[in-house]
């Protein structure tokens, strides 16, 4: 039954994201593609974003590039429960949007099996330095570990990215 609930949420993500982007995202897209990001310096945030996209066979989605930046920064994966946990983390950090509310509320209601994960993620976001408002396009050349150190405590980094150094 959990598998069916996850498939339903995936379907909701795919279809609602397109509609939400068309209706509510009025800013210009970054105009940067995975192949360009993969040419950035090895330790840069941009290169890490490119590697995240490459590993998941993704391309940046115009006008919602920030979402993949959050994945890269935090180390959250792309499984349904990770997507919901990432929304909880961002909510804890102060991000507010109609899409975030919908994804979080429906995700928690449909997949309550991961409630502890969602709750822990919310608290990490709440206790981290604010990051939800950054212009990530301007941070692509910044060292990813320096960026993570500026936002998350060592304990938070060990939870989010357990295999990272420091």
């Amino acid at each position: 039954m959990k598998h069916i609930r996850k498939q339903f949420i995936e379907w909701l993500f795919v279809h609602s994201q397109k509609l939400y982007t068309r209706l509510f995202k009025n800013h210009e897209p970054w105009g940067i593609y995975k192949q360009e990001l993969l040419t950035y310096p090895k330790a840069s945030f941009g290169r890490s974003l490119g590697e995240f996209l490459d590993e998941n066979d993704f391309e940046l989605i115009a006008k919602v590039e920030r979402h993949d930046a959050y994945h890269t920064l935090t180390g959250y994966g792309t499984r349904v429960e990770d997507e919901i946990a990432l929304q909880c983390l961002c909510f804890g950090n102060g991000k507010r949007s109609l899409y975030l509310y919908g994804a979080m509320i429906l995700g928690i209601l449909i997949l309550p099996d991961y409630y502890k994960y969602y709750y822990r993620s919310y608290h990490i976001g709440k206790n981290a330095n604010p990051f939800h408002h950054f212009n990530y396009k301007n941070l692509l050349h910044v060292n990813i570990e320096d960026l993570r150190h500026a936002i998350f405590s060592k304990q938070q980094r060990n939870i989010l990215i357990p295999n990272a150094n420091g």
Side-chain angles (χ1 to χ4, degrees), residues 84-98:
I84 298 163
L86 179 59
Q87 296 297 328
C88 293
L89 180 128
C90 289
F91 179 74
N93 199 250
K95 184 176 193 293
R96 301 292 183 263
S97 75
L98 184 61

Side-chain angles (χ1 to χ4, degrees), residues 2 5-6 9 76 80-82 84-89 91 103-124:
K2 188 190 308 184
R5 290 182 286 144
K6 284 184 178 189
I9 293 174
Y76 278 84
V80 171
E81 61 270 23
D82 297 331
I84 298 163
L86 179 59
Q87 296 297 328
C88 293
L89 180 128
F91 179 74
M104 220 173 59
I105 292 167
L106 287 173
I108 292 168
L109 289 174
I110 295 169
L111 272 180
D113 320 65
Y114 298 97
Y115 180 76
K116 287 182 181 177
Y117 180 32
Y118 305 150
Y119 188 71
R120 182 186 72 185
S121 297
Y122 165 79
H123 274 282
I124 290 172

